[in-house]
Amino acid sequence: MKSITMFVLISVILCCADGYGQVKTKETRVTVDSLKGDTTITKSEIVSESEDITPRNSMIVINPLKFFLFYNISFFHKLSSTVVVGGGIQFPTPSEWSGFGVLAEVRFHPSKKALRGFYVAPNISYNHLEEGGEETSPFSVGALVGWQWFPGDEFAMGLGIGADYYMGSVTSTGGSDSKYDGWAPLVRFDIGYAW
């Protein structure tokens, strides 16, 4: 677990610039007057700011942190400069489990630079899982805050934290039911492709 945490922290440190950068240019000009022979030397230092404005409308991502429990893939599409909608599917990783899950999410980008930068994302999900004679179908609603950046033209990375509220029950083959509900923390680290 420590190696995953270190990987996430290093990735965030290296990539959180989100395409913003400053360029410093040092310039020396030598001008010689052809009639008088006078030489003029001018030194200047120019600092400029640059921003990634590559247009991106869609993105496919996976969350490798989730691979311990679920194989997953999600698709996001920009509707406007502030709204992105998305959905995903997942399947259990452990071989003794069977089932599937679906997720729907809306991302609001207050910077009006969707898909890039800070976002707030309410979401809902549904899962159906079976294992060893027991069956559960939890439903969840939640929200997270996150940051999406593009360290390369088409390479996407994202990080988000939040919480989900789960509701459901576990049914065993004997017919007994046990209900559950409660909050669970949500950590997301996405990598993928954007175009």
Side-chain angles (χ1 to χ4, degrees), residues 76-158:
F76 293 92
H77 183 72
K78 178 171 78 171
L79 295 181
S80 71
S81 63
T82 56
V83 178
V84 174
V85 295
I89 57 172
Q90 61 186 17
F91 300 96
T93 306
S95 59
E96 62 270 11
W97 292 5
S98 63
F100 70 96
V102 292
L103 164 78
E105 181 176 305
V106 178
R107 292 183 178 184
F108 297 100
H109 290 261
S111 66
K112 297 184 178 181
K113 296 178 182 175
L115 299 160
R116 185 169 34 92
F118 174 77
Y119 64 86
V120 176
N123 64 72
I124 59 171
S125 71
Y126 170 81
N127 290 283
H128 178 77
L129 302 170
E130 296 179 22
E131 188 269 322
E134 293 188 334
E135 182 178 320
T136 184
S137 297
F139 175 78
S140 73
V141 294
L144 61 94
V145 293
W147 190 271
Q148 187 73 51
W149 65 95
F150 300 93
D153 284 343
E154 296 159 345
F155 181 62
M157 292 181 77

Side-chain angles (χ1 to χ4, degrees), residues 160-181:
I161 58 170
D164 285 340
Y165 185 78
Y166 284 89
M167 302 158 276
S169 62
V170 176
T171 306
S172 63
T173 51
S176 63
D177 266 358
S178 61
K179 299 217 178 273
Y180 60 87
D181 63 347

